[in-house]
Amino acid sequence: MSPLLIVIGLVVIIGLYFVGTYNGFIVLRTRIQEALSGIDVQLKRRADLIPNLVETVKGYAKHEKEIFENVTKARSALMSAGTPGEKAQADNQLTSALKTVFAVAENYPDLKANENFKDLQRQLEDTEDKVAYSRQFYNANVLEFNTKIQTMPSNFIANMFGFKVAEFFEAEESERKKVEVKF
Amino acid sequence: MSIYNQISSNRWRTYFIIALFIFFISGFFFLIGQYLQSPTEYFILGFIISLISSIAGYFYSDRIVLLTVGAKPADKKDYFDFYTVTENLAIADGVPMPKIYVISDPSPNAFATGRDPKHAVVCATTGLLGMMNRSELEGVIAHELSHVKNYDILLSSIVAVLVGTVALVSDWIMRSMWWGGSRRDDEDRGGRNPLMLILFILALIIGPLVATLIQLAISRKRELLADASGALLTRYPDGLANALEKIAGYPQPLKNANSATAHLFIANPFKKQNKGSWLVNLFSTHPPVEERIKILRSM
């Protein structure tokens, strides 16, 4: 009688562990999706500020065509990006393009004094922070998820139900180095 | 200690504090009642008072605390940095954005209150907002958000309300005994001095109660832990270290802080010239700022 009870007890414990781990994976995966859409919200916010900025800067620095093109190109790349990696790369491009805009603005005192421009600059800086922080939250969750998928014993359950490691939100190392301001 | 351990420990301490508070206050009223020959009525009165203030403390501690320190809601237009920094760090921490309030006072300080992350408030003085740059402000807010996330706010806000209640009740009893006592002296009730007796009971029961409440709510570990998790959130411990240096360097104390709310603040609001009651001063409410800065610098 008692060996049977031990077997039943073990089966129940293993069953509970299975259910708990599986649910943990689902919770984390949902949180990752939510965090990713959180990044999207901030990226869209950032992209929405760009046309306004371009219009304002154009009023003072009409002939700086190249930087407008760069910014617009980076913006549309960001809008059409699909995977987290692509988005991260496009976002970095936009960051570097914006840096040139603000560097060029230094040469136009009237522009720098413009209230609208100052407000846009402040909002863009804040959105950049928001992108960085939502990325941090996303990556922290991905780290937890991926660790769980790859470590014993939860990796068995991950394999059984086909949970795949999630992609971190960051650009390649080479991409990151490109972010430089050219004068 | 993981965040989940912190949360459950804070929850249990809160329930324990409420039980302790109801027990002591009811017992205190029972003793007074025995002296006045109607123990049951006084016991019920004490039970009702302690029950009501516990319930009010649980659900409305944030509003009560904000009212006593004289805080006003802050909007995005006037407090752009405060608003956006709180918004951003809430994003990074994965918690809903807390409501933000300001206290009009030049002394730099900040605190968080509320009962859980969904009902949280972060409050800063205008002095702090004017003095800190963005990264220092991020350090302070991240520290406060750590208190929010691990439910320190639940415990410390309830303690603020309960200690406030003890202060009110003992004040009220002292007064009524003073006047009641002199009347009874006229009636010539023998050599017993009711005032002395009440003072004795006060010292016997209320003192240890307040001390225990505050000791349960504060601990050096709690502040150091919030410093550490705040630094983990901003990834820049020097921000908070610089902010603490600025706070420590400002000589003037905070006007609206009292001994019931002092433990809520990020740094001791009384500064060196301790204005708090002698009871509270027995227990240092904050770890020394120098020690906190040293730990943050070495991260």
Side-chain angles (χ1 to χ4, degrees), chain A:
Chain A
M1 192 60 198
S2 84
L4 184 67
L5 277 179
I6 291 171
V7 169
I8 290 176
L10 274 176
V11 168
V12 168
I13 288 170
I14 292 171
L16 282 178
Y17 173 75
F18 258 67
V19 171
T21 313
Y22 178 81
N23 286 351
F25 275 128
I26 296 291
V27 166
L28 269 176
R29 198 172 65 184
T30 315
R31 209 187 293 158
I32 286 172
Q33 283 159 359
E34 200 187 300
L36 189 60
S37 65
I39 301 179
D40 284 341
V41 168
Q42 302 309 337
L43 289 178
K44 183 170 182 311
R45 208 182 107 114
R46 196 167 187 209
D48 288 346
L49 287 169
I50 303 295
N52 236 330
L53 178 82
V54 169
E55 279 313 302
T56 312
V57 178
K58 259 188 187 161
Y60 293 85
K62 222 172 249 157
H63 49 276
E64 309 269 4
K65 275 209 183 88
E66 203 188 327
I67 47 168
F68 298 135
E69 274 167 19
N70 279 343
V71 172
T72 317
K73 218 161 59 191
R75 177 178 182 263
S76 48
L78 181 60
M79 304 279 269
S80 61
T83 66
E86 281 169 28
K87 280 178 190 165
Q89 198 176 322
D91 184 52
N92 279 351
Q93 246 172 41
L94 184 61
T95 306
S96 62
L98 280 175
K99 271 188 187 150
T100 9
V101 172
F102 289 118
V104 164
E106 292 292 317
N107 303 329
Y108 299 86
D110 289 348
L111 172 63
K112 265 181 72 191
N114 182 304
E115 277 304 318
N116 201 8
F117 178 74
K118 277 198 277 191
D119 184 54
L120 278 168
Q121 185 169 14
R122 214 159 61 135
Q123 286 202 46
L124 277 166
E125 278 165 6
D126 176 52
T127 316
E128 211 165 303
D129 280 358
K130 284 191 166 65
V131 171
Y133 278 125
S134 47
R135 194 175 58 202
Q136 186 180 324
F137 180 61
Y138 171 83
N139 284 341
N141 282 311
V142 168
L143 181 69
E144 200 184 333
F145 186 65
N146 289 356
T147 310
K148 237 177 135 182
I149 283 184
Q150 289 162 344
T151 49
M152 298 258 275
S154 49
N155 60 342
F156 292 118
I157 293 163
N159 279 333
M160 200 179 290
F161 293 100
F163 287 109
K164 296 265 179 331
V165 287
E167 194 182 346
F168 283 102
F169 193 100
E170 59 188 356
E172 302 293 313
E173 208 54 40
S174 57
E175 281 298 325
R176 226 185 257 166
K177 284 191 185 117
K178 257 192 210 164
V179 186
E180 268 168 33
V181 188
K182 270 189 282 177
F183 287 95

Side-chain angles (χ1 to χ4, degrees), chain B residues 8 50 56 82 95 110 117 131 223 227 270 283-284 288:
Chain B
S8 74
S50 53
F82 185 26
V95 293
M131 202 180 288
E223 289 302 311
D227 284 351
F270 300 133
F283 312 93
S284 146

